[in-house]
Amino acid sequence: RFVLNPYEVLDENFRRYGPVFKASLTFQKFVVALGPEFNQQLMLDSGKNFSARMGYETPLGDFFAGGLLMRDFDEHKFHRRIMQTAFKTDAMRTYVEQMHPIIDREMAQWGQDANFHFYPNIKTLLLDIGARVFLGMDLEGPETRALNQSFVEMNDGVLALIRKDWPGLLYRKGMNGRRALEKFFFE
């Protein structure tokens, strides 16, 4: 039920148990804490009581091993600080300058598409922006399309219910996407 209608399930549990309750999904047990005060306590975690790695390891670990969400406490803080340089004011101004022509081009095409669907178009736009801004890639080249597709497939694989790297499964497609991205960045 949660996969089909998460808001309804969360609302029912909230009304039944209050803002903190146990849940089970895809053979995993969770504690759900709803509300801004709980989010603040969990996200800031000044007492270092909650492990992000433990929370994200099962759904994301195979796809984002070594990523920022897979690190806790001082190690997380160290790696977050390394990444912060990419998000300083001067860098952000440069990104915005690079983003505007891409956004203008794509939105002009959106207005001409009678069968326009927002989600696939915004996903393509955001991937193109990331490829240009963070990787300096040519957006017209086949390499960018292949890279973006690998990223999409990897993220789709995160949602796989059967988590086996077997041919024909969504998980396998996601892992193939991850392997393609890994190969791209190592090369």
Side-chain angles (χ1 to χ4, degrees), residues 10-69:
L10 287 173
D11 187 54
E12 284 175 15
N13 285 327
F14 177 81
R15 292 174 192 277
R16 185 180 212 173
Y17 304 114
V20 179
F21 55 88
K22 290 188 227 176
S24 179
L25 178 66
T26 63
F27 313 108
Q28 300 174 66
K29 295 182 189 281
F30 297 89
V31 174
V32 179
L34 300 173
E37 65 282 352
F38 294 116
N39 282 321
Q40 182 179 31
Q41 184 179 359
L42 289 167
M43 295 300 138
L44 293 180
D45 191 22
S46 57
K48 299 180 182 175
N49 298 308
F50 306 105
S51 169
R53 185 192 52 76
M54 288 174 64
Y56 289 116
E57 182 66 34
T58 299
L60 301 179
D62 293 341
F63 296 98
F64 297 97
L68 197 55
L69 283 175

Side-chain angles (χ1 to χ4, degrees), residues 123-137:
K123 181 168 59 173
T124 299
L125 173 61
L126 293 173
L127 288 168
D128 284 350
I129 288 171
R132 164 65 79 208
V133 170
F134 296 114
L135 303 176
M137 295 182 74

Side-chain angles (χ1 to χ4, degrees), residues 86-98:
F87 297 97
K88 295 207 180 267
T89 303
D90 289 342
M92 296 295 283
R93 284 190 182 111
T94 302
Y95 303 154
V96 169
E97 289 171 12
Q98 292 177 30

